[in-house]
Amino acid sequence: QVQLVESGGGLVQAGGSLRLSCAASGLSFSTYVVGWFRQAPGKEREFVAAIRWIGGSTYYADSVKGRFTISRDNAKNIVYLQMNSLKPEDTAVYYCAAYLSGASLRFRIRSDEYRYWGQGTQVTVSS
C-alpha cells in the first residue's frame, strides 16, 4: 500500500511564505522522481516542480521559478516545497506525486505520467 501525504497548506497573505511537505509510506523515494502539481477551481492541473531523488536535480515551471524551491530530506523520506513571494494566482489545491525514475534525464510534467498521488492540500493566498 503506497500512500503520499501532503501537509502544510493554509491561508497566507500575498508576499508571504508557506512550506509544503510530502511524506511517503509504502515506498522509498530513493528511486523516484517526486513532483508537485496544483489545480485551481475550473482550471487544468498544472505542473509546479519536480526533483529527481538520485542526484537531486530539479525542474520548475516558469510561473514559480525563482519563488519556489523543491528539496528532499533523504533521512526522513520527505519532499518539501518552499513557497515564497506568494501571489493570489498561486491559490490552488497542491498535490504531491511520484513516478519511478528511468535512465532519461527528462522531467515528466504531465499528470498522467505520475503513478502515485497524494490527497492534496489547500493553499489560499489573499490579496
Side-chain angles (χ1 to χ4, degrees):
Q1 300 180 23
V2 175
Q3 282 192 307
L4 304 182
V5 180
E6 304 97 332
S7 61
L11 175 65
V12 64
Q13 293 186 19
S17 298
L18 213 55
R19 189 179 75 163
L20 307 182
S21 299
C22 175
S25 63
L27 67 81
S28 172
F29 281 142
S30 62
T31 58
Y32 284 79
V33 172
V34 183
W36 288 93
F37 290 78
R38 65 187 183 186
Q39 188 165 23
K43 296 186 177 180
E44 295 293 320
R45 193 175 301 168
E46 175 189 22
F47 171 81
V48 176
I51 184 167
R52 183 173 289 107
W53 203 269
I54 300 175
S57 299
T58 59
Y59 183 73
Y60 298 91
D62 289 341
S63 59
V64 305
K65 194 173 298 180
R67 299 188 298 122
F68 291 8
T69 303
I70 188 169
S71 62
R72 73 196 197 282
D73 187 321
N74 290 311
K76 297 180 179 180
N77 202 41
I78 294 175
V79 170
Y80 301 100
L81 184 68
Q82 179 66 46
M83 310 163 68
N84 299 326
S85 302
L86 283 162
K87 306 173 181 179
E89 47 263 48
D90 294 318
T91 296
V93 176
Y94 283 71
Y95 298 91
C96 177
Y99 66 87
L100 187 63
S101 181
S104 177
L105 297 178
R106 166 187 169 272
F107 281 93
R108 299 178 180 183
I109 62 173
R110 288 173 43 157
S111 60
D112 61 2
E113 296 177 306
Y114 286 72
R115 180 174 182 179
Y116 303 107
W117 290 83
Q119 80 291 338
T121 185
Q122 177 70 48
V123 172
T124 302
V125 184
S126 64
S127 60

